Amino acid sequence: MPASPIRKLVPYSEDAKKKGIKVYHLNIGQPDIETPRQILDAVRHADFKVLEYSHSAGNESYRKKLVEYYKRVGIDVSYDQIIITTGGSEAILFGMMACLDAGDEIIIPEPFYANYNGFAVEAGVTVKPITSSIETGFALPPIEDFEKAITPKTKAIVLCNPNNPTGYLYSSAEMEILKQIVLKHNLYLFADEAYREFCYSGVHTSAMHLTGIDDNVILMDTISKRYSACGGRIGAFVTKNKKVLDTVMKFAQARLSPPSYAQILGEAAVDLPANYFDTTKAEYKKRRDTIVKRLNAMPGVFCPNPGGAFYAMAKLPVDDADEFCQWLLDSFSYKKQTVMLAPASGFYSTLGLGKDEVRLAYVLNTDAINSAMDCLEKALEEYASRSQFL
Amino acid sequence: MPASPIRKLVPYSEDAKKKGIKVYHLNIGQPDIETPRQILDAVRHADFKVLEYSHSAGNESYRKKLVEYYKRVGIDVSYDQIIITTGGSEAILFGMMACLDAGDEIIIPEPFYANYNGFAVEAGVTVKPITSSIETGFALPPIEDFEKAITPKTKAIVLCNPNNPTGYLYSSAEMEILKQIVLKHNLYLFADEAYREFCYSGVHTSAMHLTGIDDNVILMDTISKRYSACGGRIGAFVTKNKKVLDTVMKFAQARLSPPSYAQILGEAAVDLPANYFDTTKAEYKKRRDTIVKRLNAMPGVFCPNPGGAFYAMAKLPVDDADEFCQWLLDSFSYKKQTVMLAPASGFYSTLGLGKDEVRLAYVLNTDAINSAMDCLEKALEEYASRSQFL
């Protein structure tokens, strides 16, 4: 089982904090956006005497409410095509466990969300990466790369859209290409759309918008980022494929039920005012613009402009971003502050790729982002001069 | 992946309810005991603005608090030997994933908690049952049965104490026997102690009380039953084995964090008044006495007196308890009421065993239990006379 590249530096950041250094966390997708008060209040005012198990598929009332939400984003599903999961994480795990056998292969454009690897290991599945590159802003790799990677054991393609870690927003043309591949080879399309509501350039094309591949599409969703409710651990596994739903229900029953509290919160979230996402999206866009501008202004740094999510990938003038990110925590500080980044190597499956890249989650306000960028700028200078003497 | 025998009858009970029939749920360990108000209030009054991910191992403050709880029950662990899990379910899954390789074998006295099967399938592990019998009240099978079942692939023994589904409370002598087996063959002892606080006859011997097998013992715990907080989905994986802890942390990091809300509840629960368990235990004991008495008073029914947990196993005068339990829901009612039981066959791994046995969870108050027993009594009569005409 691989260690999470996002979390493996945690002990170093804990040590830095113990030394009195403030750490700007750009390493993890934990937004500082306040969870809407209305939905926190829904939990506060929930009236029950026993904190019971819910239905293994989640509360029926919540699933029915989610149908309304999906309708608003052009996704037409019924409540019995939704299984509430413990975070998006469990939806991904369920998909891999239910749709694939040990030894099967899945294709994922890299760099990709590192925990796909972990869940693949748990399911005994082999990840076959096809590489997207920072030079093209991480666009979908050409169709030939998919064709080359497909073997008789290939069962699914995983697509995170908008993408974590790259922030890339796949166009409807790219989605149509994927559809053709999926149809031709009879594959599942695992669509991780955790960041659906955060698109700054262009519109979101859900895998569920594609026609004629109802049995192939598995939507893996979560409320974590949508409503800044990561700790709730509520997601959803959505598909029109009845056989897959039946199998996933067995996994859902084995773990009994998803958490009850945050289902209340998720249900209330569907009733948030229509402009809720406008406000949060404007805030994230401002942060994106800030961080991308600051990064590209640093000598030797390149950061393509991400179209969605709240991540940016940047190429840094360092040999080994893993070492640099650890050094930021254990050897560097500027005005008693430092910054925690996620080394990109952990997001690539192909060994040796991404060694000079990092992922930055712009989950802090622009003041904090500017302070973090001040740290990074100083750090890169200091790191370069330090290297000369090694 | 096997379907949960506890939950597979759910559609039939939903249909019965739609027909206006009241269903007494003795099929699932969902207590009607109220979740203590103090701990629900701890969540209501929790003051935060962002529902954040917690540490992957759970909040440090909660883990430190749990150390106090464990000390009270004679278990001496430090907070960094505890990883908070999403229910006891995830602790079991983590144990199987982290300690075993695909193809390894685990020994479990049957009948056993059916979801062990599901988690074993997820981990690619083979369950080797050794049979305990209703005639002996489900005591630990003789040591020779363990020795016969052990192969070079055997890596762990799973023991649920007090037992679900049998209610059996293992004696300290039996625990010492297990210790000898574990030491002799260098096995893990997976100890599911979800029902630790509910012992009516005799005292609880935790696997963590055994000396000299620190590296072998994995404690799988949960607050679900202890505080009637099943929907919280908070459990714990506890071991002194550093290597196992490190591996489990990777699985914990892959799924990011356990639910935040119920960690607040769990932390508050450790501060409940010392007599909290006395009250709930007295209530459960009264229910146990009621249900066991009622069952044994029915012609052809035998129910050994369970020493702990809140389950009783009963032998019924029916050929096929699966059919009978479905019939109770889809064809029977008495005063517009019926009862939902868990057929025992799903708790046995050996095919054909337990066909005339059911598990009853005494999670309802004595009035409800008596009404449910009235239903069962009538049902057995009607079922017997019906059978004559088939």
Side-chain angles (χ1 to χ4, degrees):
Chain A
M1 184 73 183
S4 161
I6 311 174
R7 297 207 160 205
K8 70 185 173 184
L9 292 172
V10 168
Y12 297 99
S13 79
E14 285 170 355
D15 287 347
K17 286 175 200 167
K18 275 173 198 155
K19 286 189 282 180
I21 294 170
K22 177 173 173 61
V23 179
Y24 290 104
H25 282 275
L26 301 182
N27 60 304
I28 186 166
Q30 170 57 64
D32 71 337
I33 300 274
E34 291 188 7
T35 314
R37 193 181 180 95
Q38 301 97 304
I39 70 175
L40 291 177
D41 282 348
V43 173
R44 283 194 190 104
H45 301 144
D47 188 24
F48 57 84
K49 291 192 158 33
V50 186
L51 182 59
E52 291 184 333
Y53 289 121
S54 72
H55 191 292
S56 292
N59 291 329
E60 196 172 303
S61 59
Y62 177 36
R63 284 180 283 149
K64 287 183 168 163
K65 201 80 196 172
L66 265 184
V67 169
E68 294 176 31
Y69 165 76
Y70 284 123
K71 187 165 278 175
R72 268 181 240 153
V73 293
I75 296 173
D76 181 34
V77 288
S78 61
Y79 83 95
D80 54 359
Q81 293 168 332
I82 300 171
I83 293 172
I84 305 303
T85 55
T86 306
S89 304
E90 194 180 57
I92 299 163
L93 182 63
F94 279 176
M96 294 210 189
M97 289 272 188
C99 299
L100 310 171
D101 287 321
D104 282 349
E105 295 172 0
I106 51 173
I107 292 175
I108 320 183
E110 67 179 353
F112 58 79
Y113 177 55
N115 288 323
Y116 294 152
N117 259 330
F119 299 126
V121 168
E122 290 185 45
V125 164
T126 306
V127 172
K128 292 275 185 137
I130 55 173
T131 308
S132 69
S133 126
I134 197 165
E135 278 75 33
T136 65
F138 301 104
L140 194 71
I143 193 161
E144 305 88 70
D145 290 8
F146 281 94
E147 294 286 359
K148 259 185 268 173
I150 290 171
T151 77
K153 285 183 169 177
T154 308
K155 294 292 158 57
I157 295 172
V158 181
L159 195 79
C160 180
N161 184 27
N163 193 275
N164 172 11
T166 68
Y168 188 78
L169 177 63
Y170 295 93
S171 67
S172 67
E174 285 173 311
M175 294 302 288
E176 285 297 327
I177 288 170
L178 270 177
K179 170 178 154 178
Q180 297 313 325
I181 300 169
V182 161
L183 274 177
K184 182 174 167 193
H185 298 279
N186 192 28
L187 307 175
Y188 289 108
L189 178 55
F190 289 171
D192 179 343
E193 302 186 353
Y195 303 92
R196 178 189 305 114
E197 298 292 348
F198 308 112
C199 299
Y200 318 111
S201 327
V203 292
H204 184 249
T205 305
S206 170
M208 283 260 168
H209 293 161
L210 302 172
T211 54
I213 53 166
D214 279 1
D215 275 351
N216 305 73
V217 172
I218 313 285
L219 175 62
M220 289 146 171
D221 212 350
T222 171
I223 68 166
S224 291
K225 319 292 169 160
R226 206 149 78 212
Y227 308 112
S228 199
C230 298
R233 311 312 297 130
I234 287 296
F237 182 98
V238 188
T239 184
K240 296 184 178 180
N241 186 319
K242 178 81 171 66
K243 213 175 134 196
V244 169
L245 279 169
D246 288 347
T247 306
V248 168
M249 263 311 281
K250 294 180 188 174
F251 288 93
Q253 288 177 336
R255 61 66 162 131
L256 304 175
S257 72
S260 293
Y261 273 118
Q263 289 187 66
I264 298 168
L265 179 139
E267 191 170 331
V270 180
D271 286 331
L272 282 168
N275 68 348
Y276 170 69
F277 292 119
D278 298 339
T279 320
T280 48
K281 215 159 78 172
E283 172 63 24
Y284 279 126
K285 186 169 181 303
K286 194 171 73 177
R287 295 172 179 193
R288 179 197 66 162
D289 294 343
T290 304
I291 203 165
V292 171
K293 195 175 161 196
R294 288 292 310 260
L295 284 165
N296 283 319
M298 295 178 203
V301 175
F302 170 59
C303 173
N305 197 29
F310 37 68
Y311 302 103
M313 289 280 280
K315 202 183 184 83
L316 302 184
V318 300
D319 286 339
D320 185 324
D322 281 86
E323 278 177 23
F324 175 66
C325 291
Q326 186 181 323
W327 177 87
L328 279 171
L329 296 168
D330 69 12
S331 305
F332 172 82
S333 70
Y334 170 64
K335 296 183 179 173
K336 298 220 88 179
Q337 302 182 338
T338 192
V339 56
M340 187 168 177
L341 309 173
S345 60
F347 299 109
Y348 286 88
S349 188
T350 304
L351 219 69
L353 289 186
K355 275 194 82 84
D356 59 353
E357 296 172 16
V358 292
R359 188 195 72 173
L360 305 96
Y362 43 96
V363 291
L364 306 181
N365 64 46
T366 47
D367 285 348
I369 285 176
N370 273 315
S371 300
M373 290 302 100
D374 292 345
C375 286
L376 181 60
E377 199 161 24
K378 286 280 173 204
L380 284 171
E381 283 169 25
E382 196 176 316
Y383 198 70
S385 65
R386 167 189 164 278
S387 300
Q388 291 181 314
F389 301 105
L390 283 180
Chain B
M1 184 72 185
S4 160
I6 311 173
R7 296 208 160 203
K8 69 184 175 186
L9 292 172
V10 168
Y12 297 100
S13 79
E14 285 171 354
D15 287 347
K17 286 174 199 167
K18 276 172 197 156
K19 287 190 282 181
I21 293 169
K22 178 175 172 59
V23 179
Y24 290 104
H25 282 276
L26 301 183
N27 60 304
I28 187 166
Q30 170 57 64
D32 72 336
I33 300 274
E34 291 188 7
T35 314
R37 196 186 176 92
Q38 301 98 303
I39 70 175
L40 291 177
D41 282 348
V43 173
R44 282 194 191 104
H45 301 144
D47 188 24
F48 56 85
K49 290 193 160 26
V50 186
L51 182 59
E52 292 185 331
Y53 290 121
S54 72
H55 191 291
S56 292
N59 292 328
E60 196 172 303
S61 59
Y62 177 34
R63 284 179 284 148
K64 286 183 168 164
K65 201 81 196 172
L66 265 183
V67 169
E68 295 176 29
Y69 165 75
Y70 285 123
K71 187 163 278 177
R72 268 181 241 151
V73 294
I75 296 173
D76 180 33
V77 288
S78 62
Y79 83 95
D80 54 359
Q81 294 168 332
I82 300 172
I83 292 173
I84 304 302
T85 56
T86 306
S89 303
E90 194 180 57
I92 299 163
L93 181 63
F94 279 176
M96 294 208 189
M97 291 271 188
C99 299
L100 310 171
D101 287 319
D104 282 349
E105 296 173 0
I106 50 173
I107 293 176
I108 320 183
E110 67 178 353
F112 57 78
Y113 178 54
N115 288 324
Y116 294 152
N117 259 329
F119 299 125
V121 167
E122 291 185 45
V125 163
T126 306
V127 173
K128 292 277 185 137
I130 55 172
T131 308
S132 68
S133 131
I134 197 166
E135 279 76 30
T136 64
F138 300 104
L140 194 72
I143 194 162
E144 305 88 68
D145 291 9
F146 281 94
E147 294 285 0
K148 259 185 267 174
I150 290 171
T151 78
K153 287 184 169 176
T154 308
K155 295 289 159 59
I157 295 172
V158 181
L159 195 79
C160 180
N161 182 28
N163 193 274
N164 170 11
T166 68
Y168 189 78
L169 176 64
Y170 296 93
S171 67
S172 68
E174 285 172 310
M175 294 302 289
E176 284 296 328
I177 288 171
L178 270 176
K179 171 177 153 177
Q180 296 314 322
I181 299 169
V182 160
L183 274 178
K184 181 175 169 192
H185 298 278
N186 193 27
L187 306 175
Y188 289 109
L189 178 56
F190 289 171
D192 177 346
E193 302 186 353
Y195 303 93
R196 177 188 306 114
E197 297 292 348
F198 307 112
C199 298
Y200 318 111
S201 328
V203 292
H204 184 250
T205 306
S206 170
M208 284 260 168
H209 293 161
L210 303 172
T211 54
I213 54 167
D214 279 1
D215 275 351
N216 305 73
V217 172
I218 314 284
L219 174 62
M220 289 146 172
D221 211 350
T222 171
I223 67 165
S224 291
K225 319 292 170 162
R226 206 149 78 210
Y227 307 112
S228 198
C230 299
R233 312 311 298 129
I234 288 294
F237 182 99
V238 188
T239 184
K240 297 184 178 179
N241 185 320
K242 178 80 171 64
K243 213 175 134 196
V244 169
L245 279 169
D246 288 346
T247 306
V248 168
M249 262 313 280
K250 296 182 188 174
F251 288 93
Q253 288 177 336
R255 60 68 162 128
L256 306 175
S257 73
S260 293
Y261 273 119
Q263 290 187 66
I264 299 168
L265 179 140
E267 191 169 330
V270 180
D271 286 330
L272 283 168
N275 68 348
Y276 170 70
F277 291 119
D278 297 340
T279 319
T280 48
K281 215 159 79 171
E283 173 62 25
Y284 279 126
K285 186 171 184 299
K286 193 171 73 178
R287 295 171 179 194
R288 178 197 67 164
D289 294 344
T290 304
I291 205 164
V292 170
K293 195 175 162 195
R294 287 291 310 262
L295 284 164
N296 283 318
M298 295 178 204
V301 175
F302 170 60
C303 173
N305 197 29
F310 38 67
Y311 302 103
M313 289 281 279
K315 202 184 186 85
L316 303 183
V318 300
D319 286 341
D320 185 324
D322 281 85
E323 277 178 25
F324 175 66
C325 290
Q326 185 180 326
W327 177 87
L328 279 171
L329 296 168
D330 70 12
S331 306
F332 172 81
S333 70
Y334 170 65
K335 295 184 178 171
K336 298 221 83 177
Q337 302 182 338
T338 192
V339 57
M340 188 166 176
L341 309 173
S345 60
F347 300 109
Y348 286 88
S349 188
T350 305
L351 218 70
L353 289 187
K355 275 195 81 83
D356 59 353
E357 296 172 16
V358 292
R359 187 195 71 173
L360 304 97
Y362 43 97
V363 290
L364 307 180
N365 65 45
T366 47
D367 284 349
I369 285 176
N370 273 314
S371 300
M373 290 303 100
D374 291 346
C375 286
L376 181 60
E377 198 160 26
K378 286 281 172 201
L380 285 170
E381 282 170 24
E382 199 177 312
Y383 198 70
S385 64
R386 167 190 162 279
S387 301
Q388 290 181 318
F389 301 104
L390 284 180

